């Protein structure tokens, strides 16, 4: 009897510690309507390098991630950005003050990878640790069909680079529409960021993109 009770207590404690550890963010439904007219958003798109430290709301995070790489045709699992041969090898990570998250488009959640603030490691410019969000676009070489991912050279990332450009431009336009500041960035210490993100050898960082409130 005692053994059964002890097992029950152990399972409850295990469940409690796992729940405390798992700080996924279930994003609200994205706004799929409205926003600034497209031609005005194109007219206002720009790169900004001065940020305020205010966080984005969960609705803003939802709309941001959905713009970047959300699913817009659930019937066949296709996204807001195109991908070469529909390989869908790209992942979008979000480095927030509360930790590093992987955006999971199918469930529209931010899955917590760890709870460390690695915004500083996402780039080599001062504003990256101030802004609310730094997105990191990561290619999965296995999904790309690269035979030996550990030996892959830069040329294998050609299509992933292009795919990322579409996602980053979606984000630029969404930021223009929301009057938020944004800049896409290649000035990154890749080994440092790869380690901070705990990426696997078949995952490659393509670029980062800072998003946040503009400095007043
Ligand atoms: C591939 C790429 C890499 C970039 N890398 C950086 C970067 O590391 N840091 C930065 O501040 N801006 C970066 N930019 C932003 C450009 O500097 C910016 O787009 C350019 O100055 C034109 O300004 P605009 O975007 O406001 O039109 C990058 C842009 C691209 C397309």
């Amino acid at each position: 009897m005692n053994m059964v009770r002890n097992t029950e207590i152990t399972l409850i404690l295990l469940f409690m510690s796992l729940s405390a550890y798992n700080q996924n963010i279930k994003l609200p439904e994205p706004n799929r309507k409205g926003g600034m007219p497209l031609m005005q958003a194109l007219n206002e798109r720009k790169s900004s390098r001065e940020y305020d430290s205010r966080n984005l709301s969960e609705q803003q995070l939802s709309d941001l991630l959905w713009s970047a790489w959300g699913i817009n045709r659930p019937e066949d699992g296709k996204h807001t950005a195109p991908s070469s041969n529909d390989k869908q090898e790209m992942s979008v990570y979000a480095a927030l003050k509360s930790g590093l998250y992987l955006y999971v488009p199918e469930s529209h959640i931010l899955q917590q990878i760890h709870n460390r603030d690695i915004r500083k490691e996402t780039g080599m410019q001062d504003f990256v640790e101030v802004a609310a969000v730094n997105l990191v676009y990561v290619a999965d070489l296995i999904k790309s069909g690269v035979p030996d991912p550990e030996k892959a050279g830069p040329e294998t990332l050609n299509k992933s680079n292009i795919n990322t450009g579409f996602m980053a431009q979606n984000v630029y336009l969404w930021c223009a529409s929301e009057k938020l500041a944004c800049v896409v960035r290649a000035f990154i210490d890749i080994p440092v960021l790869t380690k901070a993100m705990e990426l696997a050898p078949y995952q490659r960082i393509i670029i980062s993109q800072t998003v946040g409130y503009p400095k007043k």
Side-chain angles (χ1 to χ4, degrees):
M1 188 63 190
N2 259 355
M3 217 174 101
V4 173
R5 184 92 191 107
N6 286 346
T7 312
E8 268 175 19
I9 291 169
T10 311
L11 284 174
I12 290 167
L13 288 175
L14 185 68
F15 177 76
M16 282 169 67
S17 60
L18 282 177
S19 321
Y21 186 74
N22 177 357
Q23 297 293 333
N24 294 347
I25 301 173
K26 174 90 189 96
L27 296 168
E29 272 296 297
N31 284 311
R32 294 159 207 255
K33 292 194 174 153
M36 185 183 275
L38 176 63
M39 298 311 268
Q40 192 182 340
L42 283 166
N43 194 47
E44 294 183 21
R45 186 217 65 83
K46 64 177 182 189
S47 297
S48 307
R49 296 175 187 85
E50 289 190 65
Y51 292 83
D52 184 275
S53 62
R54 264 180 300 161
N55 284 333
L56 300 194
S57 68
E58 288 196 357
Q59 187 63 58
Q60 285 171 313
L61 285 175
S62 167
D63 296 353
L64 165 65
L65 273 310
W66 188 78
S67 304
W69 190 231
I71 292 180
N72 65 355
R73 286 152 293 162
E75 60 286 0
D76 51 10
K78 295 203 176 184
H79 294 254
T80 52
S83 81
S84 176
N85 287 108
D86 199 23
K87 288 204 170 137
Q88 305 193 358
E89 83 282 15
M90 296 305 306
S91 294
V92 186
Y93 288 77
L96 311 180
K97 192 175 186 178
S98 55
L100 176 69
Y101 300 81
L102 168 67
Y103 175 55
V104 185
E106 293 75 16
S107 48
H108 198 57
I109 65 163
L110 282 173
Q111 182 192 329
Q112 192 173 56
I113 304 298
H114 59 60
N115 62 7
R116 296 191 303 281
D117 180 358
I118 61 154
R119 287 175 298 168
K120 191 175 192 302
E121 283 99 320
T122 66
M124 298 169 78
Q125 291 165 281
D126 288 347
F127 60 79
V128 300
E129 60 181 308
V130 177
V133 186
N134 287 284
L135 300 178
V136 186
Y137 299 99
V138 175
D140 179 326
L141 294 174
I142 296 175
K143 287 187 188 164
S144 297
V146 174
D148 188 351
E150 300 209 19
K151 289 190 193 142
E155 70 289 348
T156 57
L157 292 174
N158 194 16
K159 286 177 182 156
S160 299
N161 293 336
I162 296 168
N163 297 343
T164 303
F166 290 103
M167 296 193 281
Q169 180 69 352
N170 286 0
V171 168
Y172 261 118
L173 292 176
W174 178 78
C175 286
S177 171
E178 291 296 305
K179 307 268 183 222
L180 290 172
C182 166
V183 63
V184 72
R185 297 179 290 97
F187 189 29
I188 301 169
D189 185 331
I190 297 284
V192 165
L193 183 55
T194 301
K195 191 163 177 238
M197 293 179 70
E198 301 174 2
L199 295 179
Y202 58 85
Q203 291 183 292
R204 296 293 163 84
I205 294 166
I206 303 295
I207 211 162
S208 183
Q209 190 168 24
T210 304
V211 176
Y213 280 94
K215 197 170 183 177
K216 283 186 196 138

